[in-house]
Amino acid sequence: MTIAIYPGSFDPITNGHLDIIIRATKLFDRLIIGVYETPEKSLLFTTEERAELVRQSVTTLPNVEVRVFSGLTVDFAKELKAQTIVRGLRMSADFEREFDLAMMNKKLSPDIELVCLMSDLKYQFLSSSLLKEAARLGGNVNDLVPKHVAIALTRKVNRKM
Ligand code: ADP
């Protein structure tokens, strides 16, 4: 059985993440989405909120599960007996960081492989941070995220202002 993890901050999940998830489900028997508990960035949503927004986005995908994790990604993969880490790549922006992360993970755990899926053309410029920025400024982000995420985002940014 092929098992892969897709780790990330998902603050919040976007249609770009979802596209990677749907494509990855066709490559692996089981896909576990790992929501980092404490990424090194400032977050808008709490860990549970981020995980719940991901959960609600994948209810129709039978071979997908969502878990919260902290610590090393390779340890999370090993714990779940996953052979592969999935990541998404947008144009040039992600390459250097993903390459560095991949080298470090390979050093820490040579048996775990990385599979990078190229972002769909329509999501190349979509990031959770830009999305939050646009939402804060009152922009309409409805076609960039699932409906329940758009609602949560609007609620959250209005409360924070
Ligand atoms: P991280 O803090 O690990 O970068 P993110 O939630 O920002 O967490 O991203 C998780 C993964 O999804 C990363 O591999 C990132 O490159 C990828 N990703 C983010 N946005 C997109 C997108 N629009 N299209 C494809 N992949 C994406």
Side-chain angles (χ1 to χ4, degrees), residues 27-67:
L27 300 175
F28 305 97
D29 297 320
R30 206 173 143 214
L31 181 73
I32 299 148
I33 304 171
V35 178
Y36 298 142
E37 180 130 48
T38 46
E40 286 177 6
K41 6 173 141 168
S42 62
L43 298 169
L44 181 63
F45 291 94
T46 66
T47 307
E48 249 331 296
E49 285 169 338
R50 287 181 287 130
E52 192 49 38
L53 291 174
V54 177
R55 264 184 215 114
Q56 287 172 24
S57 310
V58 298
T59 48
T60 56
L61 302 170
N63 57 340
V64 176
E65 229 177 278
V66 184
R67 304 240 186 143

Side-chain angles (χ1 to χ4, degrees), residues 18-105:
L18 211 46
D19 175 60
I20 298 292
I21 293 167
I22 291 167
R23 285 159 58 199
T25 60
K26 294 175 189 150
L27 300 175
F28 305 97
D29 297 320
R30 206 173 143 214
L31 181 73
I32 299 148
I33 304 171
V35 178
Y36 298 142
E37 180 130 48
T38 46
E40 286 177 6
K41 6 173 141 168
S42 62
L43 298 169
L44 181 63
F45 291 94
T46 66
T47 307
E48 249 331 296
E49 285 169 338
R50 287 181 287 130
E52 192 49 38
L53 291 174
V54 177
R55 264 184 215 114
Q56 287 172 24
S57 310
V58 298
T59 48
T60 56
L61 302 170
N63 57 340
V64 176
E65 229 177 278
V66 184
R67 304 240 186 143
V68 168
F69 80 103
S70 53
L72 288 174
T73 303
V74 286
D75 289 343
F76 178 62
K78 277 188 216 155
E79 191 189 310
L80 297 163
K81 303 200 175 355
Q83 306 89 353
T84 310
I85 298 174
V86 172
R87 298 281 288 172
L89 278 189
R90 286 157 295 186
M91 297 298 258
S92 55
D94 291 324
F95 182 76
E96 279 188 28
R97 178 152 179 275
E98 294 298 335
F99 194 82
D100 289 350
L101 274 175
M103 291 301 108
M104 180 54 84
N105 284 340

Side-chain angles (χ1 to χ4, degrees), residues 6-17 19-20 23 36 39-41 86-90 94 97-98 101 116-120 122-129:
Y6 178 37
S9 314
F10 304 106
D11 186 45
I13 185 168
T14 69
N15 287 345
H17 292 124
D19 175 60
I20 298 292
R23 285 159 58 199
Y36 298 142
E40 286 177 6
K41 6 173 141 168
V86 172
R87 298 281 288 172
L89 278 189
R90 286 157 295 186
D94 291 324
R97 178 152 179 275
E98 294 298 335
L101 274 175
C116 284
L117 297 178
M118 300 299 159
S119 175
D120 188 286
K122 53 184 183 296
Y123 304 128
Q124 284 292 343
F125 299 99
L126 174 57
S127 66
S128 298
S129 36

